[in-house]
Amino acid sequence: MILRILSLNAWGGRLHQALIEYVTAADPDVLCLQEVLRAPGTHSGWSVYRDGDVELPQRFNLFTEISTALPAHDGFFCPTSRGELFDGDSAIVAEFGLATFVRKTHSVIAQGLDFVHGRFSADGWGEHPRPRNAHCIRLFSHEHAATMTIAHMHGLRDPAGKGDTPARDEQAAALVRLIEGVWPGDEGLVVCGDFNVLPDSATFAILARLGLSDLVTGGGLVDTRTSYYLKQGRFADYMLVTPGVKVAKFDVVEAPEVSDHRALLLDIG
C-alpha cells in the first residue's frame, strides 16, 4: 500500500495560516492532529484560553477550518473535554481533543475511540493531568486492495514533567487495548502522536508487545520541537511502525514551523 501519514500537535492553531497552508500542501492520506478545538454552530476566529495566570491564543473552530482546507477528506473529531474560551469578556463554549482526517478514496472499515487517561469532562477542561484519548482506524485502500491500521494519541501532560508514572504506564496499556480491538494483527500498524514522554519511557516497552518500534529515536533524531518551544527536553512526538510497514521516507519536518511541535511525515510504499 502507498500511503502518506502526517502527525502533528496543532497547538490550538496558534500559527493558523502557516498550519493551514502546510497541511494543504503536504496532502496526506491520513492526518492525525492533536490539540484541536471545535465550537459547533459558531463562526471561526481567535479566542483566548485562560488557566490561572496562563493565557493562550486559540482558533476556537480549528476542526472546521481544517475540514474546509481538506475537502477531499473525511474528518473525525474526538473530544476529551468541553470548556470556555474567551473573546474579550464573551465566553465561547468549545470542545478540545483529537482530529483524524482520511482521504475519501480510502474506506474506514473499523475504528475505535476511547480514553487513555481520565474520562470526558463535559463542564470545564478538567483537572490536571487533564483527560486524554486515542483514536484508531483501519483503512482499506481500493487502489491497492490492502488494509492498514493507524492509531494516534495525545498523552497526558503532567506538570511534574515527562517522566514515567503509574498513570503513564496505564495510559500505554489502555492504548494497546484500544489498538487490539481494531487491529487484526496480520497487517501493517502505525501508531503516532504527541505522547508527552521521554525516549526511555516504559511506554515504548509496552507498545513493543505489538511489535512496534519508533522511527524518531530509531533514526537517531534528537528533537521534535520547533523554535517556538523554549523549554528543555526536546522530545514529545513519536511515530512507531510494525516490521511489515514498508517505510519509503520518514521526516521530522524542520520547515515550515507550524506549531511548537514538528510535524512527523511518513510515506509508506
Side-chain angles (χ1 to χ4, degrees):
M1 182 188 298
I2 298 174
L3 202 68
R4 169 168 283 191
I5 301 169
L6 175 61
S7 177
L8 175 66
N9 181 316
W11 206 25
R14 288 177 65 180
L15 299 177
H16 171 254
Q17 190 59 39
L19 172 65
I20 296 292
E21 291 175 358
Y22 174 67
V23 298
T24 303
D27 194 29
D29 296 291
V30 180
L31 172 61
C32 300
L33 289 179
Q34 303 89 48
E35 290 196 21
V36 178
L37 290 148
R38 183 183 72 162
T42 66
H43 63 284
S44 297
W46 289 105
S47 63
V48 175
Y49 162 80
R50 295 172 181 162
D51 183 9
D53 295 333
V54 175
E55 291 196 355
L56 302 173
Q58 305 277 280
R59 298 295 293 189
F60 62 80
N61 228 345
L62 182 61
F63 177 75
T64 298
E65 293 173 322
I66 297 288
S67 298
T68 300
L70 297 176
H73 292 66
D74 288 318
F76 303 81
F77 183 71
C78 311
T80 59
S81 53
R82 183 174 183 268
E84 289 186 339
L85 303 170
F86 294 90
D87 179 6
D89 292 329
S90 299
I92 301 168
V93 177
E95 293 177 309
F96 174 89
L98 303 175
T100 310
F101 294 87
V102 181
R103 195 182 303 280
K104 292 177 180 179
T105 51
H106 300 293
S107 295
V108 177
I109 59 173
Q111 64 178 313
L113 169 66
D114 206 350
F115 281 76
V116 292
H117 175 75
R119 59 186 181 180
F120 182 68
S121 178
D123 186 20
W125 303 118
E127 298 296 323
H128 293 289
R130 288 185 166 152
R132 290 290 192 257
N133 60 359
H135 187 212
C136 183
I137 59 173
R138 188 173 182 230
L139 297 187
F140 183 86
S141 168
H142 295 274
E143 180 181 358
H144 303 99
T147 52
M148 178 167 290
T149 300
I150 302 158
H152 72 119
M153 172 183 79
H154 187 194
L156 70 90
R157 180 184 179 276
D158 189 331
K162 292 184 171 64
D164 282 340
T165 63
R168 283 195 168 107
D169 290 347
E170 174 52 33
Q171 173 178 262
L175 177 59
V176 167
R177 290 193 295 270
L178 175 67
I179 292 168
E180 288 178 330
V182 176
W183 180 54
D186 59 354
E187 67 189 29
L189 170 65
V190 177
V191 180
C192 55
D194 172 10
F195 290 3
N196 266 322
V197 299
L198 300 173
D200 62 354
S201 172
T203 292
F204 298 102
I206 294 169
L207 294 176
R209 299 171 191 168
L210 300 178
L212 289 160
S213 57
D214 177 44
L215 298 175
V216 174
T217 55
L221 300 167
V222 297
D223 195 344
T224 64
R225 307 304 292 254
T226 69
S227 64
Y228 291 92
Y229 187 78
L230 304 179
K231 300 176 185 178
Q232 297 298 313
R234 307 289 299 180
F235 282 102
D237 308 88
Y238 301 92
M239 179 89 71
L240 298 91
V241 297
T242 51
V245 175
K246 185 178 179 182
V247 177
K249 183 180 180 183
F250 174 68
D251 190 17
V252 178
V253 179
E254 294 188 19
E257 293 188 343
V258 299
S259 167
D260 66 339
H261 295 251
R262 295 186 187 181
L264 307 183
L265 187 61
L266 173 63
D267 285 326
I268 296 170

